[in-house]
Amino acid sequence: MIPGLLGEPFGFKHTKTCLDRKVAKRLLAQAKETFPLEYSALLAGQDARITSHIPMASARPSTDAFSWDSAAFFQALQLIKQRELQWLGVLHSHPATPPVPSATDQRGWHYPQLGYWILGLAGDEPELRLYQWENGGFGERSFLYVDSSLP
């Protein structure tokens, strides 16, 4: 792994993870464009604040799973590093199910210090949830939407 790349969005005792509203809007728009397939992205920023994302094309497009090509994954990590950001999490959509980690999500998660975001598109309104891996499973965490000065 690239030194200094992994952030720890849950490592700040009195600070909630924050998601920039503009990033959230872009993630939702891109997930809707990908629907009914799953959408995924790497989330980046500093400390506990997500200010950027990199959409990740699935190596095997599916309605109920996502996977990445290794070369594309490492290129995305290099881009995060070039932007002088930290990798803070992964987001993926659940086009037909609630935003709750599936058994596949749990088996495939290898970065417990990062946030695991799921965007549920099955209901009348999209629903975004954040999870943290603790004690062998995912626990839901609260987060804040924040406004930034980004264009």
Side-chain angles (χ1 to χ4, degrees):
M1 191 59 63
I2 303 165
L5 180 67
L6 285 177
E8 292 192 46
F10 305 116
F12 301 88
K13 188 173 183 176
H14 300 291
T15 303
K16 283 188 178 179
T17 301
C18 297
L19 176 62
D20 184 276
R21 285 184 204 280
K22 289 181 182 179
V23 172
K25 287 176 80 171
R26 290 178 192 138
L27 289 164
L28 177 58
Q30 291 167 355
K32 285 182 174 181
E33 287 174 12
T34 307
F35 187 87
L37 301 174
E38 279 206 16
Y39 167 79
S40 64
L42 299 185
L43 305 177
Q46 291 291 333
D47 301 325
R49 188 175 182 132
I50 295 167
T51 57
S52 182
H53 76 289
I54 299 172
M56 295 295 296
S58 185
R60 291 181 296 282
S62 171
T63 59
D64 61 1
F66 70 97
S67 62
W68 303 320
D69 171 75
S70 297
F73 173 64
F74 286 110
Q75 287 174 346
L77 294 179
Q78 285 290 350
L79 185 57
I80 290 170
K81 184 70 171 169
Q82 289 170 2
R83 292 178 180 172
E84 298 181 356
L85 298 173
Q86 297 172 309
W87 180 26
L88 299 178
V90 169
L91 173 134
H92 76 283
S93 65
H94 280 191
T97 59
V100 176
S102 66
T104 301
D105 291 335
Q106 295 203 37
R107 281 191 306 274
W109 189 234
H110 305 290
Y111 304 97
Q113 69 274 37
L114 301 180
Y116 196 76
W117 299 75
I118 303 176
L119 177 59
L121 300 173
D124 293 336
E125 292 292 322
E127 185 179 359
L128 181 60
R129 292 188 189 172
L130 168 60
Y131 296 90
Q132 178 182 12
W133 187 265
E134 298 179 289
N135 304 317
F138 283 112
E140 190 172 355
R141 295 288 302 260
S142 60
F143 65 94
L144 300 172
Y145 289 104
V146 295
D147 294 310
S148 75
S149 59
L150 297 176

